[in-house]
Amino acid sequence: LPIQEQRLSDDAAFATPGRGRRVLVMDDEEMMRLINRKMFEHYGCMVSVASNGEEAVALFERQYQAGQPFDLCLLDLRVHGGMGGIEAARLIRQTAPDSPLVAVSGDAGSREMLRYQDYQFTAALAKPFSIDAVEEIVRRFL
């Protein structure tokens, strides 16, 4: 099931569970890339962004070969004018079969989001999502 948003205690806000962890965010909307970057950076993550699947896969492979693999990848399922998250996930899995991949979409009820495992994703996150959802992702995977 898609990750459920929940309110965590105020004490959790002082922790930085993602400190130093590497996150790749792929989204075709510049504003979403910026917002997602800021939210993950809030939890101490180092964030790289890509605007489509081609960029995300190339960046993933480059970092993997350099011995600095991403610890988590968020992949937007539907991208205008480029490769979407489903194909990007398939290609990333060829390089790193165990990498945590999160499907991201504004259509929470789509088949791909409801059955994200069938598309090689580890979890699904519906847009727009809150800082609390990011914290849950960071705690779960990083």
Side-chain angles (χ1 to χ4, degrees):
L1 293 174
I3 292 182
Q4 299 291 320
E5 291 191 36
Q6 62 184 23
R7 188 78 184 128
L8 300 174
S9 72
D10 290 338
D11 293 341
F14 294 104
T16 53
R19 180 144 325 276
R21 302 309 285 256
R22 300 172 48 77
V23 176
L24 174 61
V25 173
M26 187 269 283
D27 198 297
D28 60 337
E29 295 178 45
E30 184 176 358
M31 184 59 69
M32 291 303 300
R33 291 191 303 270
L34 176 65
I35 291 168
N36 293 339
R37 174 193 292 270
K38 293 294 183 190
M39 286 196 289
F40 278 94
E41 285 176 346
H42 175 76
Y43 291 103
C45 299
M46 296 179 294
V47 182
S48 296
V49 296
S51 62
N52 58 46
E54 291 89 350
E55 287 179 21
V57 171
L59 185 56
F60 185 92
E61 290 177 355
R62 200 164 42 247
Q63 293 303 117
Y64 188 86
Q65 296 302 325
Q68 298 177 328
F70 288 102
D71 298 298
L72 178 68
C73 299
L74 278 76
L75 304 171
D76 189 6
L77 296 183
R78 290 178 183 76
V79 172
H80 297 21
M83 178 192 301
I86 292 172
E87 181 65 11
R90 188 184 68 74
L91 294 172
I92 288 170
R93 286 277 182 239
Q94 291 176 2
T95 300
D98 297 327
S99 184
L101 305 178
V102 178
V104 179
S105 176
D107 185 5
S110 71
R111 183 184 196 304
E112 296 89 349
M113 289 291 283
L114 295 173
R115 300 181 54 88
Y116 60 87
Q117 303 97 328
D118 295 347
Y119 298 92
Q120 304 187 46
F121 288 97
T122 314
L125 188 58
K127 292 195 290 187
F129 46 87
S130 69
I131 191 81
D132 292 333
V134 170
E135 182 177 24
E136 184 177 341
I137 288 277
V138 168
R139 289 187 181 281
R140 181 171 168 190
F141 296 108
L142 305 176

